[in-house]
Amino acid sequence: MTDTAPRTGPADGVAGDAPEGPTRRFPLRLPRSPLGRHLAVLLVGLLVAVAVVELASPFRVSQVATLAYYVAACAGLTLLTGTNGQISLGHGALMMVGAYTCALVLPLGVGFPVAVLVGALAAGVVGAVVGVAAAQLHGPYLAGATLALAVGLPGLAIAFDGVFGGDQGLTVTAPQPPGWFADLHFFLVAADPTSTQWLAFIGIGVAAVVLFLLANLGNSRYGRVWRAVRDDEVAAELAGLHLGRLRVLAFVVSAVCAGLGGGVLALVTRLVAPSGFGIVLSLSLLAAVVIGGLGSLLGAVLGSAVIVFLPPLVTSLGAAAGLSDVQSAELSPLSYGLVLVLVMIFAPAGAAGLVRRAGRARRGTDTDGSVRGTTRRS
């Protein structure tokens, strides 16, 4: 027997029976094209970074400048290791090439943009040489070869101390804010920019350009074939891809990013010395991309933030607990190890994976709540 009783609800047009679901939301929608999305994210990130530089203390501003050159180098490394699948333990040495080249070119009277670009090109040339050799190596053999680069290259600065300054290194004269920037800054915030702020803006600009270009490169044909080589070398070779050329190209792009980071490092620290480019720097870069999430540019930013902001935090906590200065400083390597182990156990996809998972969970909750709200009234 069919139930013919009239149904009440939204279909009857009665105002009082309207569903009481959640309030309609109008989320911010990014452009559909990858280029448009990357531009939108870049602009938002730049606005946030500029606000931090203007509002933070001088010490925090210097940390932002440090974060900028770490981001540039880690972005290139995550392209090489996460996207193409090549393990490198020598990116600290490639940063050294960019830093020393920038320090040597600046006294010639060229502007700092030219010096940083020349340093990046020099790092790219070294990366091409290393990449040709690395194209024939895989796994731990490649890691060992790049580790030898990280260990051996700083020794050249000591051997040729007449050019590179030996153990003392080279002093870099940091650029001062130009007149047009000082006028614009005073017009916007009614204050003269400091040298630290200017260096932070330089670093932010370089990091933003690197992230933008790599994001678009990852969505291009080269990004797809690099991932294909990483996932299945045999299938990629059967598909007609030249594995050696692709590996060398990935190494060159990654080396150029490391060289840009090294050039910014030279400007920010005002000194380049062999002790600053040892194996610890290379391992820190690799730890940053693992903690942040391999193959993710967001992970490169998050992992770099951990590397930059965690040591001072741990040191201050150790001092507050009554430890000596030496003991507090020794807690930093331990904190790196603990964070790395915890990430590998509880978040294999890194910090970027946690962010993506939280975003999916939020979208799923919103969708489920909307569906449940409609179902209760039907």
Side-chain angles (χ1 to χ4, degrees):
M1 183 175 179
T2 306
D3 184 7
T4 59
R7 294 175 180 264
T8 60
D12 297 330
V14 181
D17 290 334
E20 298 176 356
T23 304
R24 183 181 297 275
R25 298 179 180 178
F26 298 94
L28 179 63
R29 296 186 180 277
L30 294 175
R32 292 182 178 273
S33 66
L35 179 61
R37 288 198 303 271
H38 298 156
L39 280 175
V41 174
L42 176 66
L43 291 176
V44 173
L46 286 176
L47 289 176
V48 173
V50 169
V52 170
V53 171
E54 292 298 334
L55 299 176
S57 64
F59 174 70
R60 296 301 180 191
V61 173
S62 66
Q63 284 187 311
V64 171
T66 303
L67 176 64
Y69 62 73
Y70 266 106
V71 167
C74 288
L77 182 57
T78 200
L79 169 75
L80 180 69
T81 303
T83 304
N84 191 234
Q86 300 186 74
I87 301 175
S88 173
L89 297 177
H91 262 54
L94 296 175
M95 290 184 69
M96 175 183 173
V97 173
Y100 267 92
T101 303
C102 180
L104 291 172
V105 171
L106 271 177
L108 300 179
V110 301
F112 73 88
V114 175
V116 172
L117 288 176
V118 172
L121 292 176
V125 172
V126 175
V129 175
V130 177
V132 171
Q136 308 301 322
L137 302 175
H138 305 280
Y141 303 101
L142 175 58
T146 53
L147 178 63
L149 177 69
V151 174
L153 195 60
L156 293 178
I158 300 176
F160 299 94
D161 55 349
V163 178
F164 301 111
D167 288 326
Q168 302 301 319
L170 298 175
T171 302
V172 179
T173 302
Q176 297 300 314
W180 65 266
F181 178 81
D183 295 339
L184 178 62
H185 190 274
F186 189 85
F187 176 77
L188 294 176
V189 299
D192 293 326
T194 64
S195 177
T196 304
Q197 286 179 323
W198 172 236
L199 293 175
F201 284 131
I202 292 175
I204 290 170
V206 171
V209 170
V210 169
L211 291 174
F212 179 73
L213 294 179
L214 291 186
N216 288 283
L217 186 61
N219 280 327
S220 68
R221 173 183 176 274
Y222 287 102
R224 292 190 292 271
V225 297
W226 280 333
R227 287 188 288 271
V229 173
R230 176 200 63 191
D231 295 338
D232 196 326
E233 295 182 0
V234 176
E237 193 168 15
L238 291 175
L241 299 179
H242 196 293
L243 304 188
R245 292 177 183 174
L246 290 172
R247 290 196 180 103
V248 173
L249 180 59
F251 219 104
V252 170
V253 173
S254 182
V256 169
C257 295
L260 288 172
V264 176
L265 183 151
L267 299 179
V268 171
T269 60
R270 298 177 173 87
L271 175 68
V272 289
S275 59
F277 300 96
I279 185 61
V280 174
L281 176 59
S282 297
L283 293 178
S284 298
L285 295 175
L286 185 60
V289 299
V290 173
I291 292 172
L294 286 173
S296 169
L297 294 179
L298 173 62
V301 176
L302 297 177
S304 300
V306 172
I307 295 298
V308 172
F309 294 106
L310 183 62
L313 176 62
V314 172
T315 302
S316 62
L317 291 177
L323 300 178
S324 64
D325 294 340
V326 175
Q327 292 172 330
S328 299
E330 290 176 348
L331 289 177
S332 296
L334 176 62
S335 64
Y336 285 155
L338 289 177
V339 171
L340 190 59
V341 170
L342 291 175
V343 167
M344 294 176 66
I345 294 175
F346 298 105
L354 292 178
V355 172
R356 289 193 297 267
R357 188 186 307 172
R360 288 194 298 266
R362 179 176 178 81
R363 289 193 299 269
T365 301
D366 292 343
T367 303
D368 294 343
S370 176
V371 171
R372 287 194 297 267
T374 305
T375 303
R376 284 194 297 267
R377 299 298 302 174
S378 60

